[in-house]
Amino acid sequence: MIHKILPVGPLQCNCSVIGDENTHEAMVIDPGDDIDDIIAVITEHKLQVKQIVITHAHIDHVGGAMKLRAKTGAPILLNQNDYALLKMLDVQAGWLGMKPPGDVEIEAGLAHDQTLRAGKLAASVLHTPGHTEGSVCLYFPAEKMLIAGDTLFARSIGRTDLPGGSFEKIKRSLHDRVLTLPDETKVIPGHGPLTTIGEEREENPFLK
Ligand SMILES: [Zn+2]
């Protein structure tokens, strides 16, 4: 597996470029910004991007998606429960003092338990509402890896005070759909350092 993590944009969202080293098919997760850096990785590894996956519709995760689609032709996927939030990108840009990225066109939804593929790589979609209604995580069982979006961070969890957030829902998502994964699962959060499910089970004060 080819996997590059690029912290992009002013909020340093962890964008993942994940590719099959044999077929060179790839997916890009959360291209929030800095699309030229993402394209450089794609070019370096001769990747063909099959899909652009958005863990949730916050501007720091989705802001560069249309630019990346224009350069790769890949479809943009987002859970339908975040479509309303996607319509508020101008408002979100205002919160952060950023330039609104314009409309983002979603080609398809992301349903719980759906499998996404790039070459021999397979990820299951976990719908994990709480940070937003349409937040998802991507679990790669063969690679024992979770792309967690803003649902789980090292020693923290996603904020739930923004529109669509719910502390009760994020707790339920974490307990029912994230903490059920094996301890050795490597976690790539939406921001900040990497961790594992086992470490968070032991050390994360929000999961007690
Ligand atoms: Zn977020």
Side-chain angles (χ1 to χ4, degrees), residues 7-201:
V8 296
L11 297 180
Q12 296 282 278
C13 162
N14 285 328
C15 169
S16 276
V17 180
I18 296 177
D20 180 316
E21 69 270 31
N22 296 316
T23 67
H24 294 267
E25 290 172 293
M27 61 179 89
V28 177
I29 302 158
D30 286 352
D33 203 346
D34 298 333
I35 298 307
D36 292 345
D37 297 344
I38 297 169
I39 292 290
V41 169
I42 290 165
T43 307
E44 183 194 341
H45 295 278
K46 303 185 173 60
L47 298 174
Q48 194 198 352
V49 181
K50 305 303 270 183
Q51 50 217 339
I52 299 165
V53 185
I54 309 300
T55 61
H56 64 289
H58 280 155
I59 190 169
D60 51 324
H61 295 255
V62 72
M66 288 300 277
K67 261 192 204 169
L68 186 62
R69 187 181 80 160
K71 297 206 174 187
T72 60
I76 305 171
L77 313 182
L78 174 75
N79 180 270
Q80 67 214 34
N81 293 290
D82 260 7
Y83 289 0
L85 200 54
L86 192 70
K87 298 262 181 289
M88 296 174 52
L89 282 183
D90 289 9
V91 178
Q92 295 186 41
W95 295 341
L96 297 168
M98 288 167 71
K99 197 168 150 267
D103 287 345
V104 177
E105 290 165 32
I106 302 301
E107 271 81 3
L110 284 172
H112 181 66
D113 263 344
Q114 180 184 344
T115 302
L116 300 177
R117 293 178 197 281
K120 71 171 181 349
L121 301 171
S124 17
V125 174
L126 309 178
H127 180 216
T128 51
H131 176 63
T132 66
E133 281 289 340
S135 283
V136 301
C137 297
L138 295 189
Y139 178 52
F140 293 75
E143 289 75 22
K144 293 193 166 69
M145 179 175 87
L146 182 77
I147 305 287
D150 285 0
T151 296
L152 179 63
F153 299 117
R155 312 302 183 261
S156 186
I157 63 173
R159 59 189 289 187
T160 53
D161 58 327
L162 295 171
S166 159
F167 187 66
E168 285 313 308
K169 284 186 184 174
I170 202 169
K171 294 267 285 192
R172 202 179 317 140
S173 292
L174 285 161
H175 283 276
D176 295 352
R177 294 187 166 164
V178 176
L179 290 180
T180 48
L181 299 174
D183 275 347
E184 61 271 29
T185 308
K186 183 170 145 187
V187 178
I188 294 95
H191 303 267
L194 310 193
T195 182
T196 66
I197 291 293
E199 272 179 73
E200 295 313 307
R201 202 192 302 284

